[in-house]
Amino acid sequence: MKPFRWKNCFADVQASKHDMTIESYFQDVIVPALATLDTKIGELENSDWPGAVFAKADMEEVRLEAARAFGLSIQSIWERQLRSYLLGCAKDLRPGEPFATKIEKANWKELQKLFRGLRGIGLNAFPSFAVLDALQHLGNACRHGDGDSAAELARRYPDFWPVIPPMPPGCGALPPSPPRVAQMRIPQERLQEFVAAIARFWRDAEYIYNESIERKDPGLEARLVRERAERDWLPLVPADGN
């Protein structure tokens, strides 16, 4: 089978730094901000000030809200990146067709259909899709509060609603049903997982872009030979071409 290729667009070039953008946001904004809050919580925990116990509880609530806000911002950055990419592809591939309004108003399922129609491959074919799909639920839950997305998150990520204090398996209270967004605790490791999925998607898209270059210079061809051998996902065209 041959490597999958699409028609390259200027949008592919514009998206070439999206992975770096989201990773920098995590490392340079999210990590330091949460570390600052953790330090303040630790200082209050060890403080002799009589009101420290109450201030610590308040600061812990700020920490929870910050994590939820960062979850929403990660999803928002990803969604803006994807919509901008689709708008650029539509401009190159379907000039004159009214794609802009469709893309701007499309929900997550509709964006998936538009991506497949413009790029010839489904978002769900990318290894990062499952995490990106969960990220959409996280964005909905953080933006709108309790509802179906929160329930789906509880199914996929029960660690977002830990039992406090931790209890042995089978003991202690179960997470609230239906789950309450106000009680959701997003571990920093999960935020990093969502960021990694976004970065992985754009790097996979860049790989397809490089495979789709018709006249490759020797340096790129040599790089692709190595990458094909090292990659854990190679989008391929089936033998029947379908």
Side-chain angles (χ1 to χ4, degrees):
M1 293 187 288
K2 299 183 298 182
F4 170 81
R5 294 185 174 92
W6 58 32
K7 184 175 180 180
N8 284 338
C9 301
F10 184 59
D12 292 299
V13 179
Q14 293 177 309
S16 63
K17 303 299 183 184
H18 283 350
D19 58 333
M20 296 173 60
T21 298
I22 194 66
E23 288 180 330
S24 177
Y25 179 65
F26 179 76
Q27 292 295 338
D28 299 328
V29 178
I30 295 177
V31 171
L34 295 180
T36 296
L37 293 173
D38 289 337
T39 297
K40 290 183 177 180
I41 291 169
E43 290 172 350
L44 290 167
E45 185 174 17
N46 297 314
S47 173
D48 294 331
W49 173 45
V53 63
F54 303 106
K56 176 176 176 284
D58 291 341
M59 190 59 62
E60 287 173 337
E61 186 61 30
V62 170
R63 174 65 164 74
L64 294 178
E65 288 291 356
R68 290 192 282 264
F70 283 134
L72 175 58
S73 64
I74 289 169
Q75 188 274 326
S76 296
I77 291 171
W78 152 247
E79 186 172 323
R80 288 197 303 272
Q81 288 178 339
L82 180 62
R83 288 182 192 272
S84 176
Y85 178 72
L86 291 175
L87 284 167
C89 291
K91 182 178 179 181
D92 285 355
L93 301 174
R94 308 284 182 85
E97 295 186 35
F99 265 86
T101 301
K102 289 181 181 179
I103 293 168
E104 289 168 0
K105 295 183 177 181
N107 61 28
W108 175 231
K109 289 185 178 180
E110 292 165 344
L111 286 173
Q112 293 177 56
K113 292 179 181 178
L114 288 166
F115 185 92
R116 185 176 187 87
L118 288 167
R119 305 318 272 139
I121 186 173
L123 278 173
N124 60 357
F126 288 74
S128 52
F129 176 77
V131 179
L132 294 174
D133 187 57
L135 177 60
Q136 188 68 23
H137 288 292
L138 178 63
N140 287 341
C142 291
R143 184 179 288 110
H144 302 298
D146 301 338
D148 292 343
S149 284
E152 182 62 21
L153 277 177
R155 186 184 72 80
R156 300 192 196 189
Y157 297 98
D159 58 314
F160 283 12
W161 285 270
V163 176
I164 305 295
M167 299 290 287
C171 301
L174 295 174
S177 182
R180 302 297 305 277
V181 172
Q183 296 173 279
M184 182 171 64
R185 300 169 177 263
I186 308 174
Q188 182 171 316
E189 294 76 13
R190 290 297 191 184
L191 295 176
Q192 186 173 20
E193 180 182 344
F194 292 126
V195 166
I198 296 170
R200 169 71 190 271
F201 171 82
W202 290 118
R203 287 170 186 151
D204 285 337
E206 182 180 20
Y207 167 74
I208 298 175
Y209 169 82
N210 287 332
E211 285 284 13
S212 303
I213 295 174
E214 294 185 4
R215 296 182 179 180
K216 302 178 181 66
D217 64 60
L220 176 59
E221 190 56 68
R223 171 184 161 188
L224 284 171
V225 169
R226 293 193 301 271
E227 194 167 356
R228 292 177 197 128
E230 296 170 355
R231 277 186 144 264
D232 59 7
W233 180 66
L234 290 171
L236 301 172
V237 177
D240 60 4
N242 296 319

